[in-house]
Amino acid sequence: MSAHHRMKKEQQLSAVFEQELNELLNGKGRESRIRTGEWSRLLRGKAFRYELLISCLARRGEDELYKHQELLYTFYDKVGIIDFLERRLHSNQEHLQALACQYIGDLRLKSFGDEMSRLSSSKSNHVVYHVLLALAKLGDLERLSGTLVKQSSTLSLSFRTLLEVLSEFKGSKRDLFKLTLDQSDDYLKSILIKSAADEQLEGLEEYYLEHLNSSNINLRIACIRALGGWKDSSIEPELVRQLEDPAWEVRAAAAKSLEGTRTRASLQALVQATGDPEWWVRHNAAKTLAASPDGEEYVRRIINGEDQFAREAVIGVMEISV
């Protein structure tokens, strides 16, 4: 069968599935609406037909799946979707296990918690990624937190991948943050703090301030960026203190985090930072000063001053902004 013919056949079959699902979900009956015999004829026990049906269901969106969740769970059981997923979860092939986890998350099936726990110990990044994503979509706080902590130091899941998982969590992200942070290694702590800052979760400043003293550079930078996002003048002294950090990456992040500052102490500290030995620190400090509502006077002083590094940093930023 040619690829074109296969695609056309799948489109036709999808259209039939959609019509049957519309009748199931929009009719007036109850469980008697599930035409088991008709679905058996359509599915024929074929894996690709089950996958096509699951795709049709997932496209209906989270709201519709929750609206009809009782009816749909009975439907999944009667037409064989539950059995199909169970077989896939126990497959010896990791890509089939991963696909099953994806489908469970897409259909918001909460009855596979024990299987998710079992597969969370997999040595496969691909499987664990889909376990995490499914647990996030299911809003399973305890299992998601436990799996994140267990796997963060043993698998090479990327920063971006874990941020995606955290952003998909269908529950209190604040609760997930608090439950997971203290048990996490520095790598996962950095990701949790970045995610919390992106989500603008409130009341977590104490955690950010606490980890400013970490020995891990990336964790210090994550905290600096999170605190800088609050634009709170009471936090500025802590950010100013980071301009003296031994690591230039931390000093550069601190200079950038002070964007929008209007306090004299912060502005004066940024003036000092424009003379930093590291170019990125000088550049960020100059850029922050130039963008500050009260920074014009300080910029003028630097241009007329004797510090060549500071003057070049400020002039360079001004030329770029023109």
Side-chain angles (χ1 to χ4, degrees), residues 169 171-179 201-204 207:
F169 182 59
S172 169
K173 293 178 180 177
R174 180 187 171 91
D175 288 347
L176 179 62
F177 178 93
K178 288 187 171 184
L179 180 63
L201 302 182
E202 296 182 356
L204 301 178
Y207 295 92

Side-chain angles (χ1 to χ4, degrees), residues 38-95:
E38 178 64 13
W39 281 107
S40 295
R41 184 187 70 79
L42 290 171
L43 293 167
R44 300 179 189 174
K46 301 290 187 181
F48 88 92
R49 289 178 176 246
Y50 277 107
E51 290 175 346
L52 199 58
L53 173 57
I54 290 170
S55 296
C56 290
L57 285 158
R59 283 198 298 270
R60 290 183 169 261
E62 184 179 354
D63 291 343
E64 188 166 1
L65 292 179
Y66 274 124
K67 179 181 177 182
H68 302 288
Q69 58 183 336
E70 288 189 29
L71 172 61
L72 282 172
Y73 192 83
T74 302
F75 172 73
Y76 302 150
D77 188 38
K78 285 192 173 184
V79 303
I81 288 178
I82 300 296
D83 289 341
F84 170 74
L85 292 174
E86 286 180 346
R87 290 194 300 274
R88 286 292 179 89
L89 288 171
H90 287 89
S91 169
N92 293 325
Q93 299 181 57
E94 290 173 345
H95 77 280

Side-chain angles (χ1 to χ4, degrees), residues 174-216:
R174 180 187 171 91
D175 288 347
L176 179 62
F177 178 93
K178 288 187 171 184
L179 180 63
T180 311
L181 188 74
D182 290 340
Q183 307 174 65
S184 304
D185 58 18
D186 288 341
Y187 176 64
L188 183 53
K189 282 177 180 174
S190 299
I191 297 171
L192 287 165
I193 289 171
K194 171 70 166 65
S195 176
D198 289 347
E199 298 283 343
Q200 297 184 322
L201 302 182
E202 296 182 356
L204 301 178
E205 296 92 329
E206 63 180 285
Y207 295 92
Y208 307 154
L209 290 168
E210 176 186 351
H211 289 93
L212 276 178
N213 299 316
S214 169
S215 60
N216 185 281

